[in-house]
Amino acid sequence: MSKQINVALIGNPNTGKTSVFNALTGLNQKVGNYPGITVEKKEGICKLPRGVKAHIIDLPGTYSLNASSLDENVVIELLLNKNDKDFPDVAVVVSDVENLKRNLLLFTQIKDLEIPAILVINMADRMRYKGISLDIPHLEEQLNTKIALVSTRKKNGIVELKELISNYKDLSTTPCMNASEIDREYFDNLRKAFPNQLLYKLWLVITQDVNFGKTDRNEIDAVANFKTKTKADLKRLQQKETIKRYQFINNTLKKGQTIDLNTAKDLRIKLDRILTHKVWGYVIFFVILLTIFQAIYDWSSVPMDFIDSSFVSLSEWTKNGLPEGAFTSLLAEGIIPGLGGIVIFIPQIAFLFLFISVLEESGYMSRVVFLMDRGMRRFGLSGKSIVPLISGTACAIPAIMATRNIENWKERLITILVTPFTTCSARLPVYLIIISLVIPEGRFLGLGYQAMTLMLLYLIGFGAALVSAMILNKILKIKSKTFFVVEMPNYKLPLFKNVVLTVIEKTKAFVFGAGKIILAISIILWFLASYGPGDDFNKAEEIISTEYANQNLTEDEVNEHVASYKLEHSFLGITGRAIEPAIRPLGYDWKIGIALVSSFAAREVFVGTLATIYSVGSDDEETIKNRMAGEVNPILGGPLFTFASGISLLLFYAFAMQCMSTLAIVQRETNSWKWPILQLVIMSGFAYLIALIAFQLLK
Amino acid sequence: MNEIIQTILVFIALGLAVSFMIKKFSWKKPKTKKAFSDAHDCDKCH
């Protein structure tokens, strides 16, 4: 049996840790959550020399072992808990060649925990551009470790790193420095009180006062007659420790690293000057956004048409190929159209994530954060709020979790409350199908009207978030101080592998996350649309033949009337009719009403629901778009999806709070039901009002 | 395929779908995770 070892990848943010993880594990990776909390956990398997396998965990980025956020707690908890099944046999600390000094702070802390540690110096290919040279033997000697010079971009150093990991038992566990020197008396007492414990581990347990709710260091007194210090004294000692570490690092790097500024060639400053310019910065950002939305439309139309017609053929094949009966109908009219309603959007979702990933990988996104900070302050938000607001374009759930790095509670709460306004990927299918139905295909200055509408909807979402933030900032009476620090990583060409893996991972999460709900809802909806109570449903054939006895209808026409009558008197039809009076002023019929209600489970269910409802009882094999375009308004006549009803629907989806999972995560993050309930009522009420006004003005 | 079998399959699918939705949206309050697990080797500290 081959041996498996645990390897923890640790490092500062923006050191290319995930690139190293991808290079080591390839596609053998999975993403989950740490138990009980919603911090993302990435793990994978890597084959090492001599048949050894490594279970690699990509831990959240952290600057030190002094945690200030839940993500950072994950790192510390793992490193302090030997009984954790993931406790590392070896820690691989990833650093960036340009920020070695800062990165080594974390490395020295990990070394002091006496965990075998390898130092990876990443982005080594940039050394010659930056005029950096390293004395590796000297650094290895000073830091008591082995160093791997790696360039994930050039694929250099990964084999050597695997070799070092497999020989982890040869690594020294001697600490880099003696932390007890910062206060000998205090540490001596600590050692006497807990003779069997590692001193630096004890120190970390005592000093972590953020988010460690259950850890009460005052209890130490009661347990072991150990006189601990006040909070202020401990803070002072922590500062002393950090200064001491940097003194050690400076001494180490004095000989180990030389930087020749004369040979350094750097475009960074020139690029920053343009990309963060107070006018050109915004213009460039706007042009980039416009290009993205245009590309989403232009590039994805061919694969989308292919997927759409494939699902139609599959549905037809199922209907004709399988024996007639209820289950065959469920497959052909319920499940396949329902799933088709989500799979069709894979190309557009993938392109969106492709662009977001490229912007993040290139280092441009941090410039956007910086650029936006000035503006965000006016709305009561922090520059850090831009991260949740931008990542909200993928999904509000991780975006709301990303607010955890906003230290100021008021700013964090406002960000949590307004993030669901940002256009998430679940809204995209709804927008795309409605836009394609009600907005003409023409172009203006080379830009399609449809692409511009889509971009406008994204801006509306973003604008709604900012305006509501401003209002909340005035209403909420919470006083707190705020500061903003953001790291500007170097510009770099995005790594193809990283971009592809991100696109696959995010698209998979979207399809499988929503796919399961859509599958279940399709089955339930098909059942509710195919069965009904009383004689109206069960004797539909008799009623229709009596009603149309005098008209010479063909068999197909009779079947169509029967199907329509049955649908109206099915469980679904009865429910739809009950809510119809409330949505009729918005220009919707009861079928859209059902789709609206079911999309409170998840917005993307809307298209699948309509696809299922329109398929039930229909003999025509049509694409989703054609079915929707063919729907007739029962009251006004003419197409149901007109410009007025389409805009009304788009606006409803732009503002309504229609995601149970988001409400659950808001409850969890704010630890109160008050905020998610307020969000649901206010956002959905506002959406209803705006949709009503839009339809009444445009009809 | 017999019509009865088809109907049974439909109801099985419906049962699975309904139970999935109930499971998915009947949130349980997440347990607060302790900073350190019970079996932690620093138990004496706190």
Side-chain angles (χ1 to χ4, degrees):
Chain A
M1 205 177 85
S2 63
K3 197 192 159 200
Q4 185 164 306
I5 58 168
N6 281 334
V7 179
L9 273 185
I10 310 169
N12 287 190
N14 298 314
T15 52
K17 194 163 53 66
T18 302
S19 300
V20 174
F21 177 72
N22 288 340
L24 287 172
T25 60
L27 286 169
N28 295 321
Q29 51 176 266
K30 60 175 184 174
V31 183
N33 276 349
Y34 285 93
I37 49 171
T38 40
V39 174
E40 199 176 73
K41 180 183 187 182
K42 276 181 121 175
E43 49 193 333
I45 298 291
C46 168
K47 282 184 187 162
L48 299 176
R50 293 175 289 283
V52 180
K53 272 188 183 173
H55 167 239
I56 300 184
I57 304 181
D58 182 12
L59 288 165
T62 180
Y63 289 104
S64 70
L65 292 185
N66 306 109
S68 60
S69 72
L70 260 181
D71 290 22
E72 291 173 353
N73 276 359
V74 167
V75 182
I76 298 163
E77 277 197 44
L78 179 66
L79 297 182
L80 295 190
N81 189 358
K82 272 190 177 165
N83 298 319
D84 193 309
K85 69 175 175 50
D86 293 329
F87 184 80
D89 294 300
V90 55
V92 174
V93 184
V94 183
S95 63
D96 158 17
V97 72
E98 290 180 57
N99 295 300
L100 205 50
K101 182 176 165 184
R102 194 190 63 210
N103 294 172
L104 283 177
L105 177 79
L106 177 67
F107 178 81
T108 59
Q109 285 186 301
I110 292 168
K111 278 291 286 176
D112 289 3
L113 284 173
E114 299 185 11
I115 296 169
I118 297 166
L119 179 66
V120 169
I121 301 181
N122 196 13
M123 307 183 199
D125 55 304
R126 297 187 62 85
M127 281 167 66
R128 64 190 172 108
Y129 300 111
K130 298 285 172 181
I132 298 171
S133 51
L134 296 171
D135 181 349
I136 299 293
H138 174 80
L139 290 173
E140 283 185 338
E141 192 195 326
Q142 291 295 307
L143 298 167
N144 287 322
T145 188
K146 286 285 171 192
I147 293 176
L149 261 183
V150 168
S151 163
T152 44
R153 181 173 309 279
K154 305 274 182 199
K155 295 182 180 139
N156 291 337
I158 296 296
V159 177
E160 290 79 0
L161 174 61
K162 286 183 182 175
E163 189 66 37
L164 285 178
I165 296 173
S166 66
N167 293 328
Y168 75 96
K169 283 187 178 162
D170 300 339
L171 292 165
S172 157
T173 52
T174 315
C176 283
M177 54 169 273
N178 186 358
S180 63
E181 286 173 14
I182 55 177
D183 188 332
R184 284 188 185 283
E185 194 191 336
Y186 177 77
F187 276 86
D188 280 346
N189 287 338
L190 197 60
R191 191 180 286 118
K192 277 177 203 157
F194 306 99
N196 300 322
Q197 301 292 342
L198 183 66
L199 209 54
Y200 192 61
K201 186 188 272 186
L202 279 172
W203 171 241
L204 284 179
V205 171
I206 291 166
T207 49
Q208 302 308 312
D209 56 356
V210 185
N211 293 320
F212 282 75
K214 297 284 173 188
T215 311
D216 186 355
R217 61 174 170 269
N218 292 331
E219 287 176 26
I220 291 171
D221 284 333
V223 172
N225 275 340
F226 170 71
K227 188 89 183 125
T228 190
K229 288 189 179 279
T230 64
K231 210 172 171 179
D233 285 341
L234 286 170
K235 273 268 173 284
R236 257 194 297 279
L237 281 185
Q238 267 187 303
Q239 286 161 4
K240 214 171 159 186
E241 181 202 339
T242 307
I243 292 167
K244 201 154 180 54
R245 283 189 190 281
Y246 273 120
Q247 282 170 347
F248 167 77
I249 293 165
N250 283 338
N251 285 334
T252 306
L253 291 180
K254 207 179 272 176
K255 271 192 184 173
Q257 183 190 44
T258 43
I259 301 173
D260 182 1
L261 290 174
N262 296 326
T263 57
K265 300 168 206 160
D266 205 353
L267 276 175
R268 180 183 162 145
I269 295 167
K270 287 176 193 163
L271 277 173
D272 272 348
R273 210 169 282 157
I274 304 165
L275 295 177
T276 58
H277 190 268
K278 56 184 174 184
V279 177
W280 294 115
Y282 291 102
V283 172
I284 291 168
F285 183 50
F286 191 76
V287 170
I288 288 174
L289 281 184
L290 207 56
T291 314
I292 290 174
F293 293 118
Q294 187 61 51
I296 287 177
Y297 263 99
D298 286 349
W299 297 355
S300 51
S301 60
V302 176
M304 280 180 83
D305 290 345
F306 172 74
I307 294 169
D308 206 3
S309 55
S310 301
F311 268 86
V312 170
S313 309
L314 181 65
S315 189
E316 199 173 356
W317 180 85
T318 311
K319 212 180 224 177
N320 300 330
L322 295 180
E324 206 174 311
F327 191 65
T328 303
S329 300
L330 169 64
L331 288 174
E333 296 170 0
I335 294 174
I336 295 171
L339 286 180
I342 192 76
V343 176
I344 190 175
F345 296 104
I346 288 179
Q348 278 164 323
I349 301 283
F351 281 128
L352 178 72
F353 286 126
L354 173 81
F355 287 115
I356 290 179
S357 169
V358 167
L359 293 183
E360 272 175 358
E361 276 271 311
S362 63
Y364 177 66
M365 213 54 121
S366 299
R367 274 70 193 180
V368 175
V369 171
F370 172 77
L371 194 67
M372 293 293 169
D373 184 55
R374 266 173 282 182
M376 301 299 265
R377 298 252 159 245
R378 290 182 203 153
F379 297 98
L381 293 167
S382 146
K384 285 186 180 174
S385 307
I386 196 75
V387 178
L389 290 178
I390 287 178
S391 58
T393 55
C395 178
I397 295 162
I400 286 169
M401 290 181 326
T403 60
R404 287 172 184 174
N405 70 352
I406 302 173
E407 295 82 0
N408 179 306
W409 169 240
K410 185 179 177 183
E411 286 174 354
R412 185 174 166 216
L413 179 64
I414 294 176
T415 312
I416 288 174
L417 295 177
V418 305
T419 294
F421 276 119
T422 319
T423 301
C424 63
S425 57
R427 282 184 177 104
L428 200 55
V430 185
Y431 285 174
L432 295 170
I433 198 102
I434 306 286
I435 288 173
S436 68
L437 284 172
V438 303
I439 305 291
E441 279 182 358
R443 281 177 185 254
F444 176 72
L445 295 175
L447 293 165
Y449 293 130
Q450 296 189 339
M452 284 197 275
T453 311
L454 184 65
M455 186 172 157
L456 198 63
L457 283 162
Y458 272 79
L459 293 178
I460 286 175
F462 201 67
L466 291 182
V467 172
S468 36
M470 199 163 67
I471 297 167
L472 284 167
N473 188 35
K474 295 235 160 39
I475 296 172
L476 294 174
K477 301 287 175 212
I478 305 168
K479 280 187 182 170
S480 43
K481 280 185 182 173
T482 183
F483 56 91
F484 171 64
V485 183
V486 65
E487 185 181 340
M488 299 276 203
N490 278 316
Y491 292 105
K492 49 186 186 277
L493 276 177
L495 265 184
F496 179 73
K497 192 176 181 180
N498 285 357
V499 172
V500 169
L501 284 174
T502 307
V503 171
I504 292 174
E505 181 197 306
K506 301 275 183 194
T507 313
K508 222 165 80 179
F510 172 79
V511 174
F512 288 101
K516 283 185 225 157
I517 300 173
I518 286 167
L519 180 66
I521 285 185
S522 298
I523 294 170
I524 296 166
L525 282 174
W526 175 88
F527 181 84
L528 293 174
S530 303
Y531 294 87
D535 285 348
D536 272 338
F537 184 87
N538 296 318
K539 293 183 179 168
E541 284 87 356
E542 281 175 42
I543 294 166
I544 291 295
S545 27
T546 319
E547 203 174 311
Y548 293 95
N550 300 331
Q551 298 174 25
N552 288 328
L553 297 181
T554 62
E555 202 186 327
D556 280 354
E557 284 171 329
V558 171
N559 286 342
E560 213 169 278
H561 281 295
V562 171
S564 166
Y565 190 83
K566 273 188 149 180
L567 187 58
E568 257 185 80
H569 293 89
S570 63
F571 291 117
L572 193 70
I574 294 165
T575 318
R577 293 254 174 238
I579 57 169
E580 198 174 21
I583 53 166
R584 200 180 291 155
L586 277 64
Y588 317 150
D589 69 347
W590 67 267
K591 291 176 187 172
I592 299 180
I594 291 292
L596 278 185
V597 172
S598 64
S599 60
F600 271 90
R603 291 181 182 95
E604 57 273 55
V605 170
F606 177 82
V607 184
T609 303
L610 283 183
T612 304
I613 295 174
Y614 293 152
S615 300
V616 176
S618 168
D619 285 333
D620 300 330
E621 301 307 335
E622 282 280 14
T623 60
I624 300 164
K625 191 180 156 188
N626 288 348
R627 279 203 172 108
M628 289 172 77
E631 275 296 297
V632 174
N633 189 316
I635 300 152
L636 302 169
L640 177 66
F641 291 96
T642 59
F643 183 71
S645 64
I647 296 293
S648 164
L649 252 181
L650 288 175
L651 290 173
F652 186 86
Y653 271 87
F655 299 121
M657 179 72 220
Q658 290 169 291
C659 182
M660 287 201 206
S661 310
T662 304
L663 289 171
I665 213 79
V666 172
Q667 190 276 333
R668 184 145 55 157
E669 293 296 311
T670 58
N671 203 21
S672 153
W673 275 110
K674 180 174 92 176
W675 300 113
I677 290 170
L678 276 175
Q679 252 181 332
L680 177 69
V681 173
I682 295 172
M683 284 178 72
S684 303
F686 181 68
Y688 183 90
L689 192 70
I690 293 292
L692 176 71
I693 294 169
F695 180 72
Q696 295 302 328
L697 287 177
L698 297 171
K699 74 175 177 183
Chain B
M1 214 190 301
N2 190 314
E3 204 171 308
I4 297 169
I5 298 174
Q6 291 233 12
T7 312
I8 291 169
L9 286 174
V10 164
F11 276 92
I12 290 173
L14 180 69
L16 289 173
V18 171
S19 53
F20 169 79
M21 290 302 282
I22 291 170
K23 207 175 141 196
K24 178 96 190 160
F25 293 111
S26 62
W27 314 299
K28 284 173 203 148
K29 202 172 180 188
K31 284 178 191 169
T32 318
K33 195 177 179 234
K34 282 185 182 182
F36 301 98
S37 66
D38 292 336
H40 187 248
D41 60 351
C42 274
D43 268 349
K44 275 191 209 165
C45 317
H46 43 85

